[in-house]
Amino acid sequence: MAENPWAWQDGRNPYTWTPFQVLDLPPDTAGRAAIDAHVRKRRGRVARAPERYPVFGRIPTVADVNEAAEQIRDPEARLLAELRTHRPERADAAERVAVPAPPEIPAPEPVVRADALYRLVPPPAPRHFERLWPHGG
């Protein structure tokens, strides 16, 4: 049976240690050159002062950065990492959803005119109803 990538491993939440978080790389970063440049910067920063760049309380190592970079280059591992990465909400999306309420317009008071109602009602006439049980008493 295949390993569940979303299950907690060794007591750790898989959503708080994804390759994107270790590399501090936005998931929508495109282009191998841009990704490689970002990985080089991150590797250098972690090598010089790893305690300044914690990821959810854990201090990354250069080995962690290298492993995350390999996962980003692998299409299957990258897709898994994207699925586990919670992206921040875009401001323009929130603005599109937040539609202002329409202004309050008071309903007009109903006006009843008896002479208009009189013309709508049919004149009184005797009515005949069919028997429900024509053969019974």
Side-chain angles (χ1 to χ4, degrees), residues 56-80:
F56 291 101
R58 290 174 58 189
I59 308 278
T61 63
V62 174
D64 292 330
V65 172
N66 291 337
E67 182 183 349
E70 285 179 26
Q71 290 176 357
I72 293 295
R73 287 185 190 103
D74 177 44
E76 184 179 336
R78 180 181 174 124
L79 178 60
L80 176 63

Side-chain angles (χ1 to χ4, degrees), residues 11 22 25 34-35 54-55 57 61 75 89 93 106 116 118 120 122-123 128:
V22 171
L25 180 71
I35 292 171
V55 179
T61 63
E89 184 177 322
Y118 178 74
L120 296 175
H128 176 69

